[in-house]
Amino acid sequence: MSTEPVISVRDVYKSYGHGQVKTPVLRGVSFDVQKGEIVAIVGQSGSGKSTLLNIIGSLDTCDKGKVKVLGRDFDSAREKQLAAMRNQDIGFVFQAFNLLDHLSCIENVVLPSVFTHAKASEAHEAGMAALTRVGLKDVAKRSPTELSGGQKQRVAIARALYSRPKLLLCDEPTGNLDTDTGREVIEFFAELNRDDEVTLIIVTHEERLSSFAKRIIHIQDGVIHSDESGAKA
Amino acid sequence: MTAGKLLKLVLDNARRHRREFVLSGFGIVFGIAAFVFFLSLSMGVRSKVLEVFPLERVEVIAPTAGLAGADLTKRMDDSTVELIQNQELVKVKSIVPRMTLSFPVALSGYFEGNRMSLEFIGDGVDPAYVRDADIGDMFKDWETDPAPLLDCQLPKYTCEGLYYCDKQDMKCHHRVPVVVSKNLIEVYNKSYAKSHGLPIIGGMEQFIVQRGGLSKMRLYFDLGMSVIDMNQKNLLSEPRRVEGVLLGISERAIPLGATVPIGYVERWNREYVGEKAATAYSSIIVELQHKEDVAPFGKWLMDVPNLRLEDSNGERFASIITIITLIFIVIALVIVTISAINIGHSFFMQVSERRREIGLLRSIGATQGNIRMLFVGEAALLGFLAGLVGVGLGIGVALTGDWYFVHHTADFAFKPKTLFDIQLWIPISGLGLAVLFGVIGGALPARKAAKMQPAEALTQ
Ligand SMILES: Nc1ncnc2c1ncn2[C@@H]1O[C@H](COP(=O)(O)OP(=O)(O)OP(=O)(O)O)[C@@H](O)[C@H]1O
Ligand SMILES: [Mg+2]
């Protein structure tokens, strides 16, 4: 492939703690992700999946190694540029949804607009479009506390989609959902990938999710144990 | 992030955390209320004091000194006035020498049908100094009037209008014009009238009109007589009577006595004591251009003509008030400081409780600066709201106190109509202080929130 990868991770190291109690989590991880890929990151609990995802999303920093996302080199990027990238180009979906309960659903969805110069009316329009996309136009004015888990996750996804990101980083997005609602979310991701060419990185435990991915990166003992592309049909 | 969006976020959070807001804002409320209350009080009292004792008006006196019974007190006369006039150290607005009577004079008169007799405490000043729109040009030395004196009319030795028949020469002399200070009226109203069951003197005009005009208020000076000590010795002349007329109230009259044109005092002193007494001034009232000049002027007086300034009551009171004010401001600042610490404490807890929210905001594009501004903004809003309540409380208590003071405390001399002077800068700086201390309290927690690693904030 001639085009630049969306994500380029080179020899990344990360450990937590200091001195004696320093525990290495990532010990030299390298891989590239191309535009439009769906990548599942799997591995045992505590193997460093979330840590890796957070580093890719610039929510955490690595101790050593090079990370480049959407053409931006994290070493030289300034804090403001990374924040702008998270605001414009990257969407996050968390296992715990992370909706703010004191805001309505639509206010949650348009929250990223707080850090832009978008007008309130424009933001509302884009937010409603995102909510419509996840099929929750009708709950816009309601509080997230009144929603089911699946609905909450869809509102959170609508928030992640608000800025029409190029890259979606999901950390166990179906972890708190039952099988059926989990499947709906997965199908929605597939549709998103197909229609908008959104690159998807999904950290997961679940067999179903990893089987829908075209590529599976298996992390073990802080290194990539296997990286299988298109092996499965 | 635009200011409007920040404000909306801050307001949302404030509404969400009303309880914490109210609890941690209490200190600011009371601190600022105390600040506004005490500053307004001291401004009010200060301006009342300086109204009675203006700072830039000082009184030059000769230091009293004696050696083996001899009076070595330095004399002040026209050369002293000239010296002050010609000095170039400070700008002088006016110089008015005063001369007190060097011998006893008894003053008597009829007031509300009562004959009153008392020791005359008074002095003489340049008539031009006292003359104003209210007093008119009747306040002058009539004895130097070139118009020839008329003979008293027989058979009862009477004279027209404001003239009286002087038994010395049987000619009609103009009554000696007299002004009194409003302090005297105050003291009369608040103490004397009350204890003697006499009517209160309101405005002077009203007083004059009620009693049928100026000429009705006649006074009698018995020169060389005393109501205290009946045997006057060593006087150059025999006692005699001259008549006076009360013209009105002047703030330039001697504070607790009466003032006449200086010419009369000079002549009477010469007649009863001698030439020396007729040329020595008791004090010189100097009005300076700037009140800041009082100190250098005082020093110059000491160094050059070896005179000094009478302790200025205004200055003495003003500095006492300043010290008391400072003490109260320090107390208010201590309260506000403690509440800033309290706010800091509360905000640190907020930051821990809202880790997830902070992490989320970072993940959707908030910079460290945005997060810091969010918490600083909340602290500033807290300070502002608490400041508003505090200013309101301070003003409310001041007005209530004022109302109580005016309506429910005993009347006394110089009792002001209001105790407080709530100048605009007081509530404004109170609000400013409240916001400032809110921000100071929120600064460290805001920093902690901003420095939080977003990935870490999002875990748990
Ligand atoms: N902020 C932190 N401070 C200290 N240790 C941490 C921190 N974050 C993660 N760790 C440790 O790093 C290791 C990897 O954590 P990580 O969350 O990346 O694992 P994971 O693969 O996502 O696990 P799970 O499947 O349970 O989510 C764990 O042992 C965890 O205890
Ligand atoms: Mg994890």
Side-chain angles (χ1 to χ4, degrees):
Chain A
M1 283 185 213
S2 59
T3 53
E4 201 186 9
V6 172
I7 298 168
S8 159
V9 176
R10 284 284 164 280
D11 215 17
V12 161
Y13 284 77
K14 175 75 178 178
S15 49
Y16 287 110
H18 311 275
Q20 290 287 320
V21 290
K22 204 162 167 166
T23 46
V25 179
L26 301 177
R27 298 181 301 162
V29 174
S30 303
F31 64 95
D32 284 348
V33 176
Q34 305 298 330
K35 186 179 179 198
E37 274 196 284
I38 299 179
V39 179
I41 298 178
V42 297
Q44 278 187 326
S45 182
S47 57
K49 307 182 295 291
S50 297
T51 304
L52 180 59
L53 194 75
N54 287 336
I55 289 173
I56 294 170
S58 78
L59 297 179
D60 205 346
T61 50
C62 58
D63 302 338
K64 217 174 94 184
K66 275 211 166 304
V67 181
K68 206 171 169 185
V69 173
L70 294 164
R72 204 171 274 296
D73 189 340
F74 284 12
D75 279 344
S76 57
R78 276 179 292 139
E79 201 250 333
K80 268 192 173 171
Q81 296 172 316
L82 294 179
M85 188 178 74
R86 294 193 297 268
N87 184 247
Q88 296 296 318
D89 301 325
I90 301 180
F92 290 90
V93 178
F94 307 96
Q95 180 175 357
F97 321 136
N98 287 334
L99 297 173
L100 301 185
D101 291 341
H102 67 287
L103 301 178
S104 68
C105 289
I106 181 67
E107 285 172 326
N108 266 286
V109 172
V110 302
L111 208 50
S113 74
V114 168
F115 309 103
T116 68
H117 291 286
K119 278 195 218 122
S121 57
E122 293 166 14
H124 184 80
E125 210 169 294
M128 285 310 288
L131 267 182
T132 309
R133 182 120 201 231
V134 299
L136 286 178
K137 194 175 73 176
D138 299 335
V139 304
K141 293 253 164 55
R142 286 165 65 183
S143 160
T145 53
E146 300 167 21
L147 304 184
S148 72
Q151 287 175 312
K152 281 184 187 171
Q153 191 58 301
R154 275 145 69 196
V155 172
I157 292 169
R159 178 182 62 200
L161 296 181
Y162 168 83
S163 308
R164 305 189 144 272
K166 301 182 180 75
L167 175 62
L168 214 52
L169 302 178
C170 314
D171 195 345
E172 315 227 19
T174 59
N176 279 347
L177 305 178
D178 62 50
T179 323
D180 285 346
T181 40
R183 184 181 308 119
E184 281 173 33
V185 167
I186 292 162
E187 278 161 11
F188 182 73
F189 282 152
E191 182 192 317
L192 209 60
N193 175 255
R194 199 173 53 238
D195 297 351
D196 295 21
E197 279 198 301
V198 174
T199 307
L200 278 161
I201 313 289
I202 302 171
V203 168
T204 185
H205 272 111
E206 288 181 58
E207 204 50 31
R208 273 180 311 117
L209 257 182
S210 51
S211 63
F212 122 92
K214 294 173 184 98
R215 178 180 167 194
I216 298 168
I217 294 176
H218 190 131
I219 302 216
Q220 199 177 326
D221 296 331
V223 292
I224 293 179
H225 177 255
S226 65
D227 184 346
E228 295 164 9
S229 264
K232 291 187 184 147
Chain B
M1 184 164 54
T2 61
K5 288 175 177 177
L6 173 69
L7 185 65
K8 183 179 179 304
L9 216 54
V10 165
L11 288 173
D12 279 346
N13 288 333
R15 207 174 313 137
R16 179 160 52 127
H17 300 110
R18 317 183 255 282
R19 252 166 62 105
E20 290 87 340
F21 250 59
V22 170
L23 287 177
S24 51
F26 259 116
I28 297 266
V29 169
F30 290 122
I32 296 304
F35 178 84
V36 168
F37 179 87
F38 289 120
L39 262 183
S40 309
L41 178 61
S42 78
M43 283 299 130
V45 171
R46 196 189 160 85
S47 66
K48 292 296 171 302
V49 165
L50 294 186
E51 223 169 75
V52 182
F53 310 103
L55 278 184
E56 64 277 4
R57 194 190 302 166
V58 293
E59 192 168 12
V60 178
I61 53 169
T64 37
L67 189 67
D71 187 9
L72 296 180
T73 302
K74 196 174 154 57
R75 273 172 50 92
M76 292 192 295
D77 50 25
D78 283 330
S79 70
T80 321
V81 173
E82 218 164 284
L83 195 63
I84 294 173
Q85 189 89 67
N86 294 335
Q87 58 78 31
E88 274 160 9
L89 191 69
V90 297
K91 281 210 179 66
V92 168
K93 233 196 229 162
S94 68
I95 305 180
V96 178
R98 310 194 82 112
M99 185 182 288
T100 48
L101 286 162
S102 304
F103 62 100
V105 174
L107 179 71
S108 54
Y110 289 91
F111 185 70
E112 299 294 315
N114 303 288
R115 181 171 190 281
M116 297 202 286
S117 191
L118 42 101
E119 198 73 13
F120 177 60
I121 301 168
D123 67 354
V125 294
D126 179 355
Y129 178 62
V130 169
R131 224 180 276 149
D132 62 20
D134 289 338
I135 304 299
D137 56 6
M138 281 171 64
F139 191 80
K140 66 172 187 183
D141 187 354
W142 291 89
E143 299 300 316
T144 56
D145 202 47
L149 297 172
L150 301 174
D151 289 327
C152 301
Q153 289 164 10
L154 291 169
K156 294 177 109 180
Y157 300 107
T158 51
C159 295
E160 299 272 315
L162 285 177
Y163 289 79
Y164 71 100
C165 184
D166 195 320
K167 303 290 186 300
Q168 242 184 354
D169 54 5
M170 291 300 166
K171 299 252 185 226
C172 285
H173 291 258
H174 193 281
R175 291 171 177 279
V176 179
V178 177
V179 291
V180 293
S181 108
K182 69 172 178 207
N183 297 7
L184 188 67
I185 303 288
E186 275 286 328
V187 171
Y188 163 80
N189 277 346
K190 302 291 165 73
S191 313
Y192 196 79
K194 215 173 249 180
S195 56
H196 290 72
L198 292 171
I200 305 283
I201 301 176
M204 195 63 196
E205 286 163 40
Q206 172 196 348
F207 175 69
I208 291 167
V209 170
Q210 275 171 5
R211 282 152 192 82
L214 286 174
S215 58
K216 291 282 187 284
M217 271 161 291
R218 295 177 182 194
L219 305 164
Y220 304 94
F221 296 97
D222 289 308
L223 308 181
M225 299 266 279
S226 171
V227 290
I228 302 166
D229 183 1
M230 293 306 177
N231 315 307
Q232 287 303 317
K233 287 159 259 161
N234 303 330
L235 292 181
L236 300 180
S237 266
E238 286 302 308
R240 66 182 179 95
R241 169 170 281 198
V242 294
E243 296 188 19
V245 59
L246 183 61
L247 285 186
I249 300 172
S250 169
E251 62 167 62
R252 305 199 153 176
I254 192 170
L256 293 175
T259 292
V260 300
I262 196 165
Y264 292 98
V265 178
E266 281 173 5
R267 271 192 307 281
W268 295 343
N269 277 349
R270 185 173 294 118
E271 181 182 342
Y272 284 86
V273 185
E275 186 57 33
K276 245 172 119 179
T279 51
Y281 298 127
S282 53
S283 69
I284 301 171
I285 307 293
V286 178
E287 197 150 348
L288 300 172
Q289 205 89 42
H290 312 287
K291 60 176 184 291
E292 293 75 23
D293 284 345
V294 171
F297 181 62
K299 188 171 180 327
W300 175 84
L301 279 175
M302 215 113 82
D303 295 347
V304 184
N306 191 23
L307 297 171
R308 56 182 199 85
L309 288 179
E310 175 71 296
D311 287 341
S312 152
N313 284 328
E315 196 178 351
R316 214 178 312 154
F317 286 131
S319 52
I320 291 172
I321 292 166
T322 303
I323 290 168
I324 294 174
T325 308
L326 282 178
I327 292 172
F328 280 121
I329 288 180
V330 167
I331 291 174
L333 287 184
V334 167
I335 297 176
V336 179
T337 305
I338 292 171
S339 60
I341 295 171
N342 187 29
I343 289 175
H345 191 76
S346 157
F347 268 63
F348 270 124
M349 300 209 326
Q350 289 264 323
V351 168
S352 314
E353 275 168 24
R354 289 160 64 184
R355 291 169 70 97
R356 253 179 191 290
E357 179 188 335
I358 295 165
L360 172 80
L361 291 177
R362 292 293 300 278
S363 81
I364 58 172
T367 60
Q368 293 189 6
N370 293 152
I371 299 295
R372 185 196 298 260
M373 284 311 294
L374 182 63
F375 281 92
V376 167
E378 286 178 31
L381 177 70
L382 169 59
F384 181 76
L385 294 178
L388 269 188
V389 177
V391 166
L393 181 67
I395 291 178
V397 172
L399 294 182
T400 311
D402 220 18
W403 179 84
Y404 185 86
F405 169 77
V406 171
H407 294 276
H408 292 272
T409 59
D411 211 2
F412 57 86
F414 308 113
K415 181 176 173 178
K417 295 253 183 314
T418 168
L419 268 186
F420 293 84
D421 184 5
I422 307 169
Q423 294 173 9
L424 189 63
W425 66 268
I426 297 174
I428 288 177
S429 53
L431 259 189
L433 266 184
V435 173
L436 178 70
F437 277 79
V439 169
I440 289 175
L444 283 179
R447 193 183 120 95
K448 184 186 169 192
K451 293 275 175 234
M452 217 176 247
Q453 186 69 252
E456 211 182 318
L458 278 165
T459 51
Q460 312 136 19

